Amino acid sequence: MKLNNYFQNGMMFQRRKPMPLWGYDAPGTRIAVRVLRGTEGLAQGEAVADGAGRWRLVLPPLEASFEPLRVEISGSEARTLTDVLVGDLYLAGGQSNMQYLVDWAIGGRALRQDHTRPQLRMLWMPVDPTQNGVNIAQPQEEYPHMRWSNGADEAFIGNYSAVAYCF
């Protein structure tokens, strides 16, 4: 079983919106997903991998919370995502202004060393996906090099967009 690369430890779902999950497994495999806060079950769903091995399910919306969730996925094998939050997601995209790094900004080094924002989540995607073997002329099911990080990850923050981080 493989999850789409978007679904990682430390990720975030949009609050008050249905929560989609998808991935790949052997055709015909039943996939079960549970979302838990501690031992409390908050959402669950099932799907079956189609003939090409793709599966997708949509869980009901949840309210925002700084309390981390656990997402348990079972199919031909079991996977657990930890430290998952539900909150507001914003898309920060653009050109050179979005490439100005936290480390370059006035006060950026202090921001990098401020570990008081672990609830802030950032998804980094390659600026030029073609550098990672992605053919952007065709729709993509997967971007292999994206990575979630949080506002306490000092090494990651310094190399993140200052505009996106400060927003």
Side-chain angles (χ1 to χ4, degrees):
M1 183 187 61
K2 181 182 181 324
L3 292 173
N4 182 279
N5 196 43
Y6 178 85
F7 304 105
Q8 302 175 18
N9 292 333
M11 66 165 291
M12 180 175 254
F13 285 107
Q14 175 63 43
R15 71 182 173 115
R16 297 184 183 159
K17 296 288 182 184
M19 301 185 316
L21 282 102
W22 63 91
Y24 316 91
D25 209 330
T29 302
R30 187 178 74 88
I31 309 298
V33 177
R34 293 186 329 150
V35 178
L36 301 119
R37 179 177 294 127
T39 59
E40 176 190 7
L42 301 177
Q44 62 184 26
E46 290 187 358
V48 175
D50 67 16
R54 292 185 200 105
W55 61 268
R56 183 177 193 278
L57 60 86
V58 179
L59 298 171
L62 295 175
E63 289 297 322
S65 173
F66 285 143
E67 204 172 328
L69 306 177
R70 190 172 69 253
V71 180
E72 296 177 345
I73 305 118
S74 63
S76 61
E77 60 185 73
R79 296 275 311 273
T80 300
L81 301 177
T82 60
D83 195 26
V84 174
L85 294 182
V86 177
D88 287 319
L89 294 173
Y90 296 91
L91 177 63
Q95 295 180 350
S96 60
N97 60 332
M98 296 304 286
Q99 294 177 3
Y100 193 80
L101 304 180
V102 169
D103 270 354
W104 301 345
I106 295 171
R109 293 196 192 274
L111 281 176
R112 179 186 227 203
Q113 295 169 354
D114 178 0
H115 302 136
T116 61
R117 296 177 185 85
Q119 295 86 7
L120 175 66
R121 302 301 162 96
M122 301 165 285
L123 176 66
W124 178 87
M125 292 183 71
V127 174
D128 181 359
T130 61
Q131 294 173 343
N132 296 301
V134 173
N135 178 358
I136 59 173
Q138 296 185 14
Q140 299 298 306
E141 290 184 16
E142 187 79 78
Y143 282 92
H145 299 287
M146 62 181 145
R147 176 181 157 224
W148 282 95
S149 187
N150 70 53
D153 183 345
E154 187 175 328
F156 189 75
I157 291 168
N159 293 305
Y160 201 74
S161 164
V163 174
Y165 183 83
C166 291
F167 176 77

